[in-house]
Amino acid sequence: MAFSPLSRKDLGRYGEQRAEEHIAALGYKVVARNWRCRSGEIDLIAETEGQLVFIEVRTRRLTGRFGTAKESVDARKQLKVRQIAQMYLYAAKQSDRRARFDVITIELTPEGEFNRLEHLTGAF
């Protein structure tokens, strides 16, 4: 099924929905979607096997113009996600919980067809 997003925001929502379906199929329990604080946002926060998982979702069309979805989660983005996760853990009074950081990339063809989903467990 083709997906023609009208905006970058629509593309992001589509990817987050696909990612959520993927982790639900793996048995993860979604704790929060698009959790925000003054520093930014975490796309998905889930729980599996007693561990919190902070998930960054990246969706890209395969046009080659802006690099791959995986490449977009650079050191700066990783640091930002870690900082926001710390704020979540503090706000949720769960600072003692085990946590990890996953990245889920969604790739679409230039025409907007779903091409591939990759789940990088413990990505950073």
Side-chain angles (χ1 to χ4, degrees):
M1 179 166 132
F3 175 74
S4 295
L6 300 174
S7 69
R8 206 175 101 184
K9 194 175 197 177
D10 291 335
L11 185 66
R13 271 192 230 124
Y14 170 78
E16 288 170 9
Q17 180 183 341
R18 288 294 294 242
E20 187 171 343
E21 291 167 1
H22 167 74
I23 64 171
L26 294 174
Y28 290 44
K29 177 185 172 209
V30 174
V31 175
R33 294 169 190 84
N34 304 109
W35 188 85
R36 297 175 204 262
C37 66
R38 62 185 161 85
S39 298
E41 173 186 287
I42 293 185
D43 298 322
L44 292 168
I45 302 171
E47 187 175 32
T48 184
E49 300 173 359
Q51 184 175 50
L52 279 178
V53 184
F54 296 93
I55 303 169
E56 180 65 20
V57 180
R58 294 298 205 180
T59 307
R60 293 279 190 276
R61 287 180 186 252
L62 295 172
T63 61
R65 290 176 50 202
F66 301 107
T68 67
K70 196 184 312 184
E71 291 169 341
S72 71
V73 186
D74 58 13
R76 189 182 63 157
K77 181 62 179 178
Q78 292 174 24
L79 177 62
K80 185 171 184 130
V81 171
R82 285 180 191 274
Q83 291 170 338
I84 298 167
Q86 287 290 351
M87 290 181 193
Y88 173 83
L89 290 168
Y90 178 78
K93 297 180 176 29
Q94 297 190 38
S95 296
D96 59 339
R97 290 284 303 270
R98 287 185 321 131
R100 75 168 196 246
F101 297 90
D102 289 5
V103 173
I104 295 179
T105 62
I106 312 285
E107 293 178 350
L108 305 177
T109 66
E111 298 76 36
E113 298 279 337
F114 174 79
N115 184 56
R116 184 173 107 144
L117 179 149
E118 184 176 2
H119 183 171
L120 304 165
T121 304
F124 58 92

